[in-house]
Amino acid sequence: MALRFSALLLSIGLCLAGRALAQSTEPSSAAKPISPETIALSADFEGQLDRSVNTAYFCKGIANFAAAPTTENPDNQALLLTLDPSKSSSIGRCEPPNARTERAELAEPDDVRLPLGTEIWYGFRFMVPATMKGKFSGQRLVLAQLKQHPDTCPLHDEPFGLSAASEGNPTVSFRLIEDDFGDVIGLQLAVSSDDVRKISVGQLMRHRGPFLDRWHDVLLHVKVVPHGVEPPPADVGFVEGWLDGQPFIKGRYGMVDETGAPDVAEPFGYAGLVGCTYFKYGIYRDSQAEPWTIGFDRFRRGATRQSVASPAP
């Protein structure tokens, strides 16, 4: 569905969810089950940033809102997020001015980060404007990423294992890929581990014409249980994802078929980052002079696929 670009520039401040959440007081070597009601999180961007949005990583971002009608809601609005490289990034969790990368991302609030071992579903919609055609530059343009954090989180007061120093690359990421030679564009689902910075789980490519200026649905189903944790956890981690209903791979990465056994040939996760996971969506890229804009809508976090999937057209 083509987007009508009638946007209103808004000034963005820090918006964190203010609800109090109960903490677990029972020590455990694995994540205590989290209720579906606690897992649930959403943002709809109806002319403003929802209270469920954490702007600590917004950095060089500018938020506009524009009409994005759907069959379900003809008056629906969506976020047009622009990364402006000329914008100051002195506020928030941002890179220094001479960094090789830059970001304009939204995230889950810190107080609702989930402990490792929690089975989570994420869903969101995105749109790449046709004006972005051919403007891809550098080696990365990350639309969404799930990261690990070494500290414990409010929803579970005991870490999954023993925290240690480890590089903080995205444990799971969705990356935009563009190929001028083939006139195609698409999305890559990737993971990282202690030994490999990026492992491609799968990628789905489309012709640029039909792909641009249209909304696309992304689903992620994930449970982060890093390999190498001592003592070894009884649970098994996995990753699977879909773009417009098409899976990136058959089955679940990290797991042997559907048997529940771990696949040692498909590692992901950081054994030293054992506290929480946190999800960010927006634009993270190599630094460049050109601004980038991507539309986002209907972010969902939930305990089931049905709770995060977009309604059928």
Side-chain angles (χ1 to χ4, degrees), residues 247-279:
F248 284 89
I249 58 168
K250 182 179 180 181
R252 295 177 176 177
Y253 178 94
M255 186 179 291
V256 177
D257 298 326
E258 298 298 325
T259 64
D263 188 342
V264 296
E266 295 182 345
F268 76 101
Y270 295 89
L273 294 173
V274 293
C276 297
T277 62
Y278 59 105
F279 191 83

Side-chain angles (χ1 to χ4, degrees), residues 93-205:
R93 301 165 192 171
C94 306
E95 298 86 349
N98 60 345
R100 294 182 299 174
T101 57
E102 54 193 353
R103 70 177 76 244
E105 297 176 297
L106 303 174
E108 301 168 321
D110 293 354
D111 60 357
V112 294
R113 289 177 174 178
L114 296 170
L116 266 67
T118 305
E119 185 173 346
I120 322 166
W121 285 85
Y122 288 97
F124 64 91
R125 306 180 74 213
F126 78 94
M127 184 274 301
V128 181
T131 53
M132 296 297 101
K133 180 179 179 179
K135 293 185 179 181
F136 185 96
S137 178
Q139 298 298 311
R140 78 197 100 195
L141 203 164
V142 180
L143 297 187
Q145 52 182 307
L146 182 76
K147 300 195 70 173
Q148 293 174 236
H149 196 279
D151 296 340
T152 55
C153 48
L155 296 178
H156 193 253
D157 65 349
E158 288 293 321
F160 193 89
L162 297 176
S163 181
S166 182
E167 293 297 327
N169 293 312
T171 302
V172 183
S173 59
F174 288 106
R175 298 166 183 260
L176 193 68
I177 302 173
E178 188 176 27
D179 184 352
D180 287 332
F181 181 78
D183 196 30
V184 294
I185 190 171
L187 209 59
Q188 178 190 67
L189 174 61
V191 298
S192 299
S193 73
D194 285 306
D195 300 320
V196 185
R197 291 179 60 88
K198 188 183 77 169
I199 305 167
S200 177
V201 173
Q203 61 187 45
L204 297 171
M205 306 299 293

Side-chain angles (χ1 to χ4, degrees), residues 57-70:
Y57 306 91
F58 200 68
C59 301
K60 297 183 177 182
I62 298 174
N64 295 302
F65 298 89
T70 66

